[in-house]
Amino acid sequence: MGLNEITITKAIVDQWQRKFIDNLELDVAIVGGGPAGLLAGYYIAKAGKKVALFERKLSVGGGMWGGGMMFNEIVIQKNVIPILEELGIPAVEYEDSHYTVDSIACITTLASKACLSGLTIWNCMSVEDVMMRESSVNGLVIIWSAIEMSGLHVDPLTIGSKFIIDATGHDVEVIKVIERKVPAKLLTPTGKILGEKSMWAEKAEELTVENSKEVFPCVYVAGMAANATFGGPRMGPIFGGMLLSGKKVAEDILKRL
Ligand code: 48F
């Protein structure tokens, strides 16, 4: 029998709907598909937990594709090599413990391993709000990015989750919503977002990992969002901290699940 356009349409809508309904209640919801969010998703999925990642753009990868200023190589440090080896991503030693990695190989392999480990990725979906109770947050409010971009007045849908990871990068979007709309303080020294500081690669790389932690009950920050939340500097096109951060947050949450 030949191909049938109606069957093609039905297959897509039907399978998508099954997948979506199966993802309405999660152990962990990750917002942002940059390196930190993807690696966190990889480890949580590998541990057999129910985890999904929401990414505004058509493609995951965040700031990694473009390397530094669109030179598509990234730099990582020696202590990150075991993670890359585990994923099968080749790194080249440059000098003084600086290694380079082809940014395309890095992102495509990371995304592939994460999906094949069981992470469900929802692309073209933006997280615009959280679901709250008296002093907690227990889910995400999602909208198609195309609706967000068009400015159409359309109500969103909701996903429940025991844990949330804000891996939205410099913009730290989920924590900004919580700070503004949920009547309880963040677990930062001031109870507010401290804000990202200027470039200081070495310090920033250390702090990214240290700052990757719970910032509101059951809400964690990872990657650049961690430094933006806790007042750390930016680091530019070195990505070891992003990967170590995703791994740390995954391990911390897995201990509690
Ligand atoms: O920015 P991004 O790559 O975050 P990251 O994993 O890595 C940071 C580095 O790329 C770089 C750096 C390293 O030296 O400083 O900036 O911390 O990826 C964040 C992803 O989150 C998506 C956004 O499109 C990007 O792909 N995102 C941001 N806000 C939302 C979102 C949102 N509200 N809903 C869905 N996705």
Side-chain angles (χ1 to χ4, degrees):
M1 218 179 107
L3 288 171
N4 181 320
E5 291 84 351
I6 306 305
T7 308
I8 293 171
T9 304
K10 195 155 67 76
I12 290 172
V13 176
D14 205 14
Q15 286 306 110
W16 188 91
Q17 176 185 281
R18 279 171 217 254
K19 193 165 65 172
F20 189 67
I21 288 176
D22 187 47
N23 272 253
L24 289 181
E25 285 176 288
L26 300 167
D27 289 323
V28 187
I30 302 172
V31 189
L38 281 174
L39 195 66
Y42 165 74
Y43 283 112
I44 295 166
K46 209 170 136 218
K49 303 300 175 193
K50 196 155 195 59
V51 51
L53 183 153
F54 299 85
E55 167 56 53
R56 170 179 285 138
K57 297 197 173 136
L58 196 51
S59 58
V60 288
M64 202 180 243
W65 293 108
M69 218 175 83
M70 295 203 319
F71 297 92
N72 63 0
E73 288 281 324
I74 56 163
V75 171
I76 54 126
Q77 8 346 21
K78 197 172 184 173
N79 60 342
V80 184
I81 295 288
I83 296 179
L84 296 184
E85 280 175 353
E86 180 182 343
L87 295 167
I89 300 170
V92 177
E93 189 167 3
Y94 187 65
E95 55 186 50
D96 296 335
S97 291
H98 291 62
Y99 289 72
T100 60
V101 181
D102 179 286
S103 66
I104 313 297
C106 195
I107 272 302
T108 51
T109 311
L110 177 51
S112 167
K113 294 279 178 188
C115 289
L116 297 178
S117 298
L119 174 69
T120 305
I121 297 181
W122 300 103
N123 60 340
C124 304
M125 280 193 199
S126 292
V127 172
E128 63 161 47
D129 206 340
V130 293
M131 173 163 61
M132 65 171 247
R133 294 297 180 261
E134 282 74 19
S135 56
S136 65
V137 161
N138 53 359
L140 298 174
V141 176
I142 57 167
I143 191 85
W144 289 120
S145 307
I147 296 179
E148 182 185 66
M149 288 162 78
S150 69
L152 286 172
H153 189 170
V154 179
D155 264 312
L157 293 173
T158 309
I159 301 283
S161 191
K162 292 180 193 146
F163 289 91
I164 293 169
I165 302 175
D166 183 338
T168 61
H170 294 273
D171 294 334
V172 62
E173 294 200 17
V174 180
I175 307 305
K176 264 188 194 151
V177 168
I178 294 176
E179 180 189 52
R180 197 174 78 243
K181 297 175 76 171
V182 181
K185 284 190 171 158
L186 300 178
L187 303 169
T188 62
T190 59
K192 299 267 178 200
I193 294 169
L194 299 181
E196 174 191 309
K197 303 290 180 290
S198 290
M199 181 90 85
W200 184 358
E202 186 166 347
K203 190 86 186 150
E205 284 289 284
E206 274 168 38
L207 285 176
T208 306
V209 185
E210 204 177 304
N211 291 333
S212 294
K213 56 188 176 188
E214 192 174 31
V215 63
F216 195 76
C218 296
V219 182
Y220 285 69
V221 272
M224 197 56 224
N227 274 1
T229 301
F230 285 96
R234 66 186 304 185
M235 72 291 292
I238 177 153
F239 282 81
M242 298 299 131
L243 298 174
L244 293 170
S245 155
K247 186 167 190 225
K248 180 185 179 207
V249 163
E251 286 168 351
D252 288 356
I253 292 176
L254 285 172
K255 279 186 208 139
R256 296 178 63 186
L257 272 170

